[in-house]
Amino acid sequence: MPSVSCKDVGLDCSFEAHGTTNQELMRKFIDHAEPAHDMHYLSADIIYRVQKAIKK
Ligand SMILES: [Zn+2]
């Protein structure tokens, strides 16, 4: 199952998202990052870093 953690993206946080697809993973990560890291929108840079950090 693909997963990505906040640490992989450079955030000091132990959150780790799991999803069956990359889209589900991104949605779960965004659901966490928006309130937890005050990211009201995710920049292209963050999305790129998340996609590169996804472990299959
Ligand atoms: Zn986090």
Side-chain angles (χ1 to χ4, degrees):
M1 185 181 281
S3 69
V4 68
S5 69
C6 281
K7 278 196 184 70
D8 295 334
V9 185
L11 296 165
D12 184 18
C13 173
S14 60
F15 175 82
E16 197 173 328
H18 300 268
T20 51
T21 64
N22 282 9
Q23 281 92 334
E24 190 186 351
L25 194 54
M26 283 301 294
R27 189 174 48 73
K28 286 185 178 176
F29 185 83
I30 290 165
D31 283 350
H32 161 78
E34 281 185 345
H37 299 297
D38 210 19
M39 288 179 182
H40 298 297
Y41 74 99
L42 291 189
S43 68
D45 177 56
I46 291 281
I47 290 168
Y48 178 74
R49 278 156 64 186
V50 172
Q51 284 175 341
K52 279 196 71 166
I54 290 171
K55 293 188 282 281
K56 300 255 165 39

